[in-house]
Amino acid sequence: MAYIDLNSDLGESFGPWSMGDDVSMLSIVTSANIACGFHAGDPAAILGVLKEAARRSVSVGAHVGYRDLVGFGRRNMDPSSEELIGDTIYQIGALQGLAKVAHTRVRYVKPHGALYNTIANDARQAADVIAAIQAVDSSLILMALSGAPIVAQARSSGLTVICEAFADRAYNADGSLVNRRLPGAVIHDPEVVASRMLRLVTEGRITAIDGTEIELEAQSICVHGDTPAAVSIARTVRDTLVGGGIELKSFTDG
């Protein structure tokens, strides 16, 4: 039986400011990318999500980002290598400490937002994130954009890499994500999102925004948790995959 991991970005609420429905998403996904406080998330909220993830046996990853609370980590930045390595180590370490208290552990790292998109192609910043992960724990898995240069770069450095596809994002013909500022970049129809993900898992192909058929390697699918219909889309994706004979389990389960 074919299987796939479903992941979502969680733990992004900050004080009185609420982001997404983490509890509902944790009943759907098999892996949770937990904010580490730099782009979103306060310690108490992060700890609560970690405890809920542990209770539901959902695998936990560090969702590290640029030091950018105001911009939600979506603004491009050019930190020095010393800064980026230090910031990445700091975030992973903070989440590891909270995870220990929640009786779970950090199994992987998924960079967030602008950092994720930058290191997909920027070899220097990618090397910094890779070096930080290896400095903390070389057994941590890196989740990266399918088809991006960082996949080969990280694998050649000795890291295990999981390739990720995005359920509700449109793709360009070269396999990159359509810029969020452009029309059609985000797909909002749950049935459309679900059917394209079922095809991706069963055929390894997806239709780009210009109609081009492209191949994507994917061991995990991201279902966003911060859009208005996030839970509905995620649940439809899950139900469609299961109905199509696909087993859902975290890539950390082997």
Side-chain angles (χ1 to χ4, degrees):
M1 177 184 289
Y3 72 90
I4 195 74
D5 171 69
L6 287 184
N7 77 79
S8 189
D9 305 340
L10 305 177
E12 294 178 324
S13 295
F14 194 92
W17 180 68
S18 180
M19 170 66 85
D21 184 349
D22 289 350
V23 173
S24 293
M25 292 300 291
L26 285 168
S27 70
I28 298 169
V29 300
T30 48
S31 296
N33 322 312
I34 310 295
C36 301
F38 271 31
H39 79 276
D42 65 76
I46 293 168
L47 180 59
V49 175
L50 285 165
K51 288 180 176 179
E52 186 66 18
R55 189 178 76 81
R56 295 177 180 270
S57 299
V58 174
S59 184
V60 167
H63 201 35
V64 302
Y66 289 132
R67 191 189 296 267
D68 181 27
L69 278 175
V70 174
F72 195 65
R74 288 183 174 160
R75 297 185 292 188
N76 292 327
M77 294 187 173
D78 188 27
S80 68
S81 290
E82 291 77 12
E83 289 173 319
L84 185 52
I85 291 171
D87 282 358
T88 303
I89 290 172
Y90 186 95
Q91 291 176 82
I92 296 171
L95 195 69
Q96 286 178 325
L98 290 167
K100 182 177 181 179
V101 174
H103 303 293
T104 185
R105 66 188 180 95
V106 177
R107 304 290 299 278
Y108 66 96
V109 175
K110 176 188 171 180
H112 164 80
L115 178 60
Y116 180 95
N117 291 325
T118 297
I119 65 173
N121 297 286
D122 185 317
R124 194 275 295 178
Q125 288 202 33
D128 295 339
V129 172
I130 291 167
I133 294 171
Q134 291 177 319
V136 175
D137 182 354
S138 60
S139 72
L140 289 170
I141 299 167
L142 174 65
M143 186 181 289
L145 180 65
S146 178
I150 189 177
V151 174
Q153 184 178 354
R155 285 174 175 166
S156 67
S157 75
L159 286 182
T160 299
V161 180
I162 288 297
C163 290
E164 175 184 40
F166 288 82
D168 63 351
R169 292 292 303 277
Y171 281 81
N172 294 306
D174 64 357
S176 62
L177 297 174
V178 175
N179 190 300
R180 280 181 176 270
R181 297 187 181 92
L182 298 178
V186 180
I187 303 167
H188 300 285
D189 187 321
E191 298 297 334
V192 172
V193 172
S195 63
R196 69 201 293 263
M197 289 301 100
L198 178 60
R199 183 180 180 225
L200 175 63
V201 176
T202 56
E203 300 179 19
R205 298 172 68 84
I206 198 167
T207 303
I209 196 166
D210 66 354
T212 303
E213 294 295 314
I214 58 176
E215 295 183 358
L216 283 181
E217 175 191 357
Q219 293 87 39
S220 184
I221 293 171
C222 179
V223 284
H224 282 116
D226 59 352
T227 57
V231 173
S232 174
I233 290 174
R235 187 167 287 124
T236 301
V237 170
R238 181 184 178 96
D239 291 346
T240 298
L241 291 173
V242 171
I246 308 301
E247 180 184 2
L248 299 181
K249 68 175 185 177
S250 174
F251 52 85
T252 63
D253 293 340

